[in-house]
Amino acid sequence: MLSVKTLGQLSDRSLPDSWKWAILDTLRLHNRCDLSGAETATVVSLLSEAGANGQNSDKLRSVCLQKLGSFLFTQREITTQKVPDLKDALEKQDRAALPKRDDANVKQAAKLIDAIGTYKTTLQKTADEVKDEQIKANLKKRLTKWEPTSVTPTK
């Protein structure tokens, strides 16, 4: 089970960055398929905040956003494997393309689409703020990887 308290230590100013990186590596967020909706939302929130926090080092901000991107990618893959008819909407990052039914999977997919949108905004904002040119280029490269896919061609 994910320890929200452990992940919350990313905001602890007394911890060195190397410890924060160790926390991120130990939790192995990119391999987590056992998280509840609330835990997923917490992970997204905490990593997004750490990545956006201008008081963190550029390197830590980049690492947090990299981990968040991997986590969101994994969550998208898990969701599309579980419910294949959500794949198109998730790849397009389009809430309007979600099926018009009221179930937990559709609601979770909508939250995931929103989280991806927030992630992209945070990536862009952070890329504009960081001073290190290599980190800036890396953040912008990650942003291009999250462009929505085009409309699925029909045969």
Side-chain angles (χ1 to χ4, degrees):
M1 185 162 159
L2 175 71
S3 172
V4 173
K5 183 178 179 182
T6 300
L7 191 57
Q9 291 176 338
L10 291 176
S11 62
D12 184 343
R13 294 192 177 287
S14 67
L15 289 179
D17 283 357
S18 60
W19 287 23
K20 293 176 184 181
W21 294 326
I23 289 169
L24 291 169
D25 288 340
T26 301
L27 291 175
R28 300 179 52 85
L29 296 170
H30 62 284
N31 286 339
R32 302 299 296 262
C33 60
D34 60 336
L35 301 180
S36 69
E39 288 173 321
T40 298
T42 300
V43 168
V44 169
S45 176
L46 290 172
L47 289 177
S48 187
E49 287 172 19
N53 187 343
Q55 295 178 352
N56 286 332
S57 71
D58 288 353
K59 179 98 172 135
L60 179 62
R61 293 173 77 185
S62 177
V63 168
C64 287
L65 291 173
Q66 181 268 324
K67 296 291 185 182
L68 178 55
S70 295
F71 177 74
L72 290 171
F73 181 81
T74 299
Q75 294 304 306
R76 183 177 72 181
E77 292 302 306
I78 290 167
T79 302
T80 58
Q81 287 175 6
K82 205 165 54 167
V83 189
D85 69 335
L86 299 176
K87 182 176 184 172
D88 198 42
L90 285 168
E91 287 182 354
K92 292 178 188 174
Q93 301 167 26
D94 183 6
R95 288 178 66 120
L98 288 169
K100 306 295 185 235
R101 62 177 188 261
D102 187 27
D103 72 29
N105 292 318
V106 173
K107 290 177 185 175
Q108 188 64 28
K111 290 177 184 177
L112 187 53
I113 290 168
D114 292 343
I116 291 168
T118 301
Y119 172 68
K120 289 170 36 178
T121 300
T122 303
L123 266 178
Q124 182 63 59
K125 182 177 181 272
T126 304
D128 292 342
E129 292 175 356
V130 297
K131 305 292 186 239
D132 184 296
E133 290 301 319
Q134 186 175 4
I135 291 174
K136 183 184 295 278
N138 190 319
L139 292 170
K140 288 184 178 188
K141 181 179 174 183
R142 279 193 212 128
L143 186 59
T144 63
K145 291 181 180 182
W146 280 95
E147 291 301 315
T149 59
S150 59
V151 176
T152 304
T154 55
K155 294 182 181 178

